[in-house]
Amino acid sequence: MDLQIKMTWLHHVNPMVKLFFLVFLFIGLLLIHHIHFQFYFLLFIICIYLFMTGCRTKWLLLLSLPLSILFFSSFLSMALFGMGETTWWKLGIVHITEESFFRGLHLGIRTVSFGLLGLVFALTTTPVQLFYSSMQQLRLKPKFAYSFMASIRILPIIVEEIIILKKALKVRGYVYSKGLTGFFERMNHYSVPILAQSIRRAHRIAIAMQIKQFNGDTRRTYYYKIGYSRHDIFFTLVVTVFFLVSVVLANILPVFPVDYVR
């Protein structure tokens, strides 16, 4: 099953431009406590996530399921046990106040916003594009960038080795104990061969990079040229317009009876 169904304009935006604006939005959402702005900007992020990432809707909904759990856990932990003066309902240790309710709602909205921004970046940026862009735009040394790239490429291989090892142990008839003892038995059977294979693979990669002179002393050519394009300008305009429209709507169409939540 394919996660992605088509390329969108977001896939053609320079990864460093996306990363810069997303970090800017992370900091902005962290410092802005205006709950109306947070609400409207979350709606815009949801629109980008659903309609501009080029992924199947069922996968987008599945990926957003953990964010829904985080939202309700953040909201309930703050709303049910928070501090406040205007009491709505109280029973034992559960004390719901107006201040704690909106503080929990604000925290949940912020949590979902952070998660969706991260998913938008992950779904529209490949690791190869990210590291090539870091080398060409941020002047990151190739020996570091290619090392990270090789590490990411190794992860699926490790997962495949774990699956093969699991099937091999099952064929040999290994029966594990129950509880914590069985957990340590599995760790003993899985950790040693996986660790040994990883050390051998890392050693081979290090030798290969040394032979190809990934020392950062010479100027290198790149197979992929990551530059700037009109998509970067369009992305900048979209983010800026969404930000300004959220500010305007937060002032003329308030949603909640409070403005600032801390």
Side-chain angles (χ1 to χ4, degrees):
M1 290 180 291
D2 190 10
L3 181 66
Q4 182 178 307
I5 58 175
K6 63 178 180 179
M7 299 283 287
T8 65
W9 63 273
L10 274 177
H11 293 82
H12 301 288
V13 178
N14 188 291
M16 288 299 108
V17 174
K18 273 191 288 190
L19 184 62
F20 171 79
F21 274 97
L22 289 181
V23 171
F24 170 76
L25 292 177
F26 271 116
I27 298 175
L29 292 174
L30 189 63
L31 298 178
I32 297 175
H33 301 281
H34 200 291
I35 190 171
H36 306 299
F37 169 82
Q38 297 270 0
F39 174 77
Y40 282 115
F41 198 74
L42 174 61
L43 294 182
F44 288 124
I45 297 174
I46 292 174
C47 291
I48 293 176
Y49 176 69
L50 292 178
F51 305 112
M52 301 183 188
T53 54
C55 297
R56 301 179 186 274
T57 304
K58 64 177 183 179
W59 287 112
L60 293 176
L61 295 177
L62 184 63
L63 290 173
S64 61
L65 182 60
L67 298 180
S68 302
I69 298 174
L70 288 175
F71 171 81
F72 285 108
S73 62
S74 303
F75 168 73
L76 292 176
S77 61
M78 186 63 68
L80 298 181
F81 309 103
M83 302 292 292
E85 298 178 357
T86 307
T87 301
W88 283 358
W89 189 72
K90 185 175 182 181
L91 179 64
I93 62 173
V94 178
H95 185 203
I96 303 176
T97 64
E98 180 181 2
E99 294 82 3
S100 65
F101 178 85
F102 288 108
R103 193 177 296 119
L105 187 63
H106 178 256
L107 181 62
I109 291 174
R110 180 183 290 178
T111 301
V112 176
S113 299
F114 288 164
L116 289 180
L117 286 175
L119 283 175
V120 169
F121 183 79
L123 293 173
T124 60
T125 308
T126 63
V128 173
Q129 290 177 331
L130 179 61
F131 289 118
Y132 268 87
S133 180
S134 65
M135 287 186 288
Q136 296 174 30
Q137 272 77 55
L138 297 184
R139 305 302 179 190
L140 181 66
K141 290 186 177 181
K143 63 179 179 180
F144 298 123
Y146 278 98
S147 298
F148 283 117
M149 201 182 308
S151 302
I152 292 177
R153 293 291 182 89
I154 287 176
L155 291 178
I157 300 176
I158 295 178
V159 173
E160 185 179 358
E161 288 181 352
I162 293 175
I163 295 174
I164 295 175
L165 184 58
K166 180 180 179 180
K167 292 180 179 179
L169 292 173
K170 186 177 181 180
V171 170
R172 293 178 182 178
Y174 277 97
V175 179
Y176 299 102
S177 304
K178 295 182 179 180
L180 193 61
T181 304
F183 172 77
F184 284 109
E185 290 176 356
R186 288 183 175 87
M187 289 293 295
N188 184 39
H189 282 126
Y190 283 89
S191 59
V192 176
I194 295 300
L195 182 61
Q197 289 290 346
S198 300
I199 293 174
R200 295 192 191 100
R201 191 175 293 108
H203 182 66
R204 291 196 297 266
I205 292 174
I207 294 176
M209 293 185 66
Q210 186 176 5
I211 293 174
K212 294 181 179 180
Q213 298 183 359
F214 281 94
N215 49 24
D217 299 330
T218 58
R219 189 175 182 85
R220 305 188 65 87
T221 57
Y222 302 101
Y223 184 78
Y224 296 104
K225 291 290 184 180
I226 308 295
Y228 300 103
S229 65
R230 68 180 187 277
H231 299 287
D232 304 326
I233 301 175
F234 184 68
F235 177 76
T236 304
L237 292 176
V238 168
V239 174
T240 305
V241 169
F242 279 3
F243 192 89
L244 295 177
V245 170
S246 299
V247 173
V248 174
L249 290 177
N251 288 278
I252 65 176
L253 291 175
V255 182
F256 309 104
V258 295
D259 289 330
Y260 292 91
V261 179
R262 290 182 180 274

